[in-house]
Amino acid sequence: MNVFDVIVIGGGHAGCEAASASARLGCATLLITKGEDKIGELSCNPSIGGVAKGIMVREIDALGGVMGQVTDKSGTHFKVLNASKGPAVHGPRAQADRSLYKKAMQDSLNEHANLEIRSASVDDILVKENKASGVKLEGGSEIRAKAVILTAGTFLKGVIHIGGSQTPAGRKGERPSISLALALKKLGFKMGRLKTGTPPRIDGKTIDFSALEVQDADDKPLPFSFMHSKIDVPQIKCAITYTNHKTHEIIAKNINKSAMFSGNIKGQGPRYCPSIEDKVSRFADKDRHQVFLEQEGLDDQTIYPNGLSTSLPEEVQEDYIHSIKGLENCKITQYGYAIEYDYVDPRELTLSLETKRLPGLFLAGQINGTTGYEEAAAQGIMAGFNAALKAQGKEAFILARSEAYIGVLIDDLIRLGTNEPYRMFTSRAEYRLRLRADNADQRLTPKAIQLNCVSRETIDRFSLKMDRINKLETLLLEYNLTPNEAAKYGLNINKDGRRRSAFSLLKYKDINFAQLAEIWPELKDFSEEVIEQLEIKAKYHDYITLQDKDIESLNRDENIKITAGFDYDQLHSLSHEVKEKLNMVRPENLGQAARISGVTPAAILAILAALKKQRRKSS
Ligand code: FAD
């Protein structure tokens, strides 16, 4: 067959989610990628998730996506980052076995009904009556579709840099997509150049681990997927080492040989995932940088030294790697490199990720100026849904900023564009108390059920969980105590004579569920997962109400004046980047500040809070 509802170009993280989403909506979907055996390749770090990114993976899972399930089948070191902080900033993360990840992703896609996969290279997008109507393959054959999703990652006019040497490539050992990049340019898309990099890989058998700190995975690994209750993959340790004065000296002495610093690379690199030469020159006052030594697979002792991305020449990589504790005698199996590639200005897109210039063409992933597997997958699932809905003549599926990090990501991209690789942070989300990893299913699975893109098993499991949560909430709102009654059970609350529900009692910092279950034993009948939801709901209730009010007032009044000489540097929650931009522009009111690219709604809320405080002090 050479006519489909939806064609997805690319089998990376965006492409896999896009193909799965489109097929789950019942569209005849074709995934075309340069090599089927590379589907699900982790191009750089062997890990999924992290702060904010992990929340997106859970959101993708809540929408029926594949990344979470695949990670659960391949994760070798699960750890919730920020576990000691509040649930809003918990960052589920897992190191993954590269080949298990790829296999699990390929198995998962092969099990999808309505999805065909072909190995080929796309050279052009076909256009009919000013709409995308299919693709032209290398060699000239054509395939038609009602909608096309392009997820070409780092492949568009990709060039690999190591020191002074440059090699055209989409990834190490893979051909770049030159014709396709030229075709997009010809269609009139506004394009730019970005870069990213990867560290050298090391043979683990040649590292002296006895000299290094080790980090264990969590005792009870938390699955990414709401459909899984446990992880069956064996968990392994990772080791930690540090760069030192000598490492920095070698790098500083050779900095002009780095592709980035020699002027060979014009594209902007990721601000928050800098190369080691970036770190050494930008943070010259730091005397060491942490390096996590992550094993690439259960049966593969190759080590990924997380934190050492570089485009220095091979001999300099040898020198500085050997200056690091534990790595003195190690063998490098693959040198680090930087890759420069074309991206499309995401302001070319609508909220559904369809291009304004060529209706029927959707873009997702690194091609839109983002970096990271999770950011790519998040866009992929949305582009997959929306291309399928378009092919079916239905309304687009959009997530608001208040509903999901996925909504924040897409809104930021299409509203503000980006001139450096965009990465997700919790600080970008103004509704972050609501947008947590633990409640992604409650926020999004009802929408997925409505879309009809999840299995019967998912619906049943979710309904059962929600029944239990609602039952427990009803009980907690029903049971109540006066302060005197509470005191008899050792619970110390305001002596105002007011009766409080068990739900209100849970809001107190020093009252926990176990204490309430001693008073009302029926509460012991609920699972840990259900109890956790109610504890979080109660503890966060008043903060969320307050945050919602702030956001409402912010939306109401853009004209709130920012006092001349306002000190942005005193606001600790603002990133260095945001402070820099605000100090440069010196906006007169909040509306102006909000329109500065990179200034997040969360930053605006922090400024609003500081202005209110100032006003209270002076009145
Ligand atoms: P990719 O995963 O790149 O997938 C693109 C897919 O498109 C591939 O399957 C390819 O075969 C296919 N394709 C391309 N052109 C065509 C065509 N013409 N026809 C058919 N198929 C085509 N992210 C980080 O967060 N931190 C990092 O430090 C980091 N470092 C990186 C270093 C390197 C060297 C590379 C290559 C990537 C790095 N990344 C990093 C980025 C990360 O790999 C991407 O963010 C993520 O893989 C993007 O997913 P994607 O689906 O958009 O594209």
Side-chain angles (χ1 to χ4, degrees), residues 45-333:
N45 46 318
S47 63
I48 298 288
V51 177
K53 287 167 171 272
I55 303 179
M56 284 196 293
V57 180
R58 294 210 107 201
E59 291 178 349
I60 292 165
D61 183 74
L63 290 168
V66 283
M67 182 174 246
Q69 300 221 10
V70 166
T71 309
D72 289 348
K73 289 177 187 154
S74 57
T76 56
H77 185 104
F78 278 80
K79 195 161 200 69
V80 175
L81 307 182
N82 283 343
S84 60
K85 298 187 183 160
V89 292
H90 284 185
R93 178 181 189 271
Q95 284 165 38
D97 178 307
R98 265 182 206 291
S99 37
L100 281 183
Y101 188 93
K102 245 185 350 191
K103 180 173 183 313
M105 182 59 85
Q106 291 173 14
D107 288 351
S108 166
L109 293 187
N110 285 330
E111 279 165 16
H112 277 63
N114 310 316
L115 177 59
E116 189 180 324
I117 300 173
R118 287 188 202 166
S119 289
S121 191
V122 171
D123 272 359
D124 205 351
I125 308 293
L126 300 176
V127 180
K128 193 172 166 198
E129 292 164 2
N130 295 322
K131 292 188 192 113
S133 63
V135 298
K136 185 172 172 188
L137 303 182
E138 192 178 43
S141 58
E142 296 186 353
I143 310 176
R144 303 270 156 193
K146 295 179 187 151
V148 175
I149 307 172
L150 176 55
T151 69
T154 50
F155 283 68
L156 296 178
K157 282 217 267 152
V159 176
I160 282 182
H161 296 257
I162 305 182
S165 96
Q166 293 161 29
T167 320
R171 249 179 336 218
K172 186 102 182 158
E174 293 181 64
R175 283 190 304 139
S177 292
I178 311 260
S179 309
L180 189 54
L182 295 175
L184 291 175
K185 191 98 199 151
K186 206 161 135 207
L187 284 167
F189 284 103
K190 196 165 163 243
M191 296 172 78
R193 212 85 181 122
L194 293 174
K195 82 115 201 173
T196 187
T198 197
R201 307 297 196 272
I202 299 169
D203 178 354
K205 296 192 281 304
T206 62
I207 295 177
D208 178 8
F209 286 106
S210 67
L212 305 178
E213 294 168 41
V214 289
Q215 188 183 71
D216 288 313
D218 284 343
D219 285 341
K220 207 172 148 206
L222 176 74
F224 270 108
S225 176
F226 289 99
M227 295 301 291
H228 295 158
S229 311
K230 63 181 179 51
I231 298 296
D232 293 325
V233 184
Q235 299 295 289
I236 53 178
K237 296 176 195 299
C238 80
I240 300 171
T241 184
Y242 297 88
T243 58
N244 54 48
H245 179 67
K246 189 167 172 212
T247 322
H248 297 186
E249 207 174 66
I250 297 168
I251 292 169
K253 207 168 78 194
N254 291 286
I255 201 113
N256 291 335
K257 296 182 193 157
S258 157
M260 200 54 200
F261 286 80
S262 64
N264 284 344
I265 297 183
K266 300 284 180 290
Q268 185 62 247
R271 182 188 286 259
Y272 301 102
C273 215
S275 62
I276 186 64
E277 48 266 38
D278 259 339
K279 287 194 245 183
V280 166
S281 69
R282 264 172 48 198
F283 311 108
D285 53 321
K286 276 204 149 191
D287 51 14
R288 65 178 199 171
H289 295 283
Q290 198 172 39
V291 180
F292 285 90
L293 300 174
E294 301 172 347
Q295 192 167 314
E296 298 210 336
L298 291 172
D299 300 322
D300 177 356
Q301 290 197 37
T302 307
I303 296 293
Y304 175 91
N306 196 339
L308 290 181
S309 150
T310 186
S311 62
L312 281 161
E314 294 171 0
E315 63 281 7
V316 183
Q317 294 190 33
E318 290 278 355
D319 267 7
Y320 84 70
I321 288 284
H322 291 139
S323 71
I324 296 172
K325 188 169 168 188
L327 309 184
E328 294 88 346
N329 299 308
C330 78
K331 183 166 169 252
I332 295 180
T333 52

Side-chain angles (χ1 to χ4, degrees), residues 9-16 32-35 38-39 41-45 53 120-123 150-156 170-172 174 176-177 180 196-198 270 273 304 309 337-339 364-367 370-377 423:
I9 308 167
H13 305 278
C16 290
I32 306 177
T33 190
K34 286 193 181 243
K38 297 275 187 204
I39 287 179
E41 180 79 42
L42 297 166
S43 314
C44 186
N45 46 318
K53 287 167 171 272
S121 191
V122 171
D123 272 359
L150 176 55
T151 69
T154 50
F155 283 68
L156 296 178
R171 249 179 336 218
K172 186 102 182 158
E174 293 181 64
S177 292
L180 189 54
T196 187
T198 197
C273 215
Y304 175 91
S309 150
Y337 64 91
I339 184 156
Q366 194 108 355
I367 189 173
T370 57
T371 178
Y373 310 138
E374 305 78 5
E375 286 82 352
R423 178 185 168 173

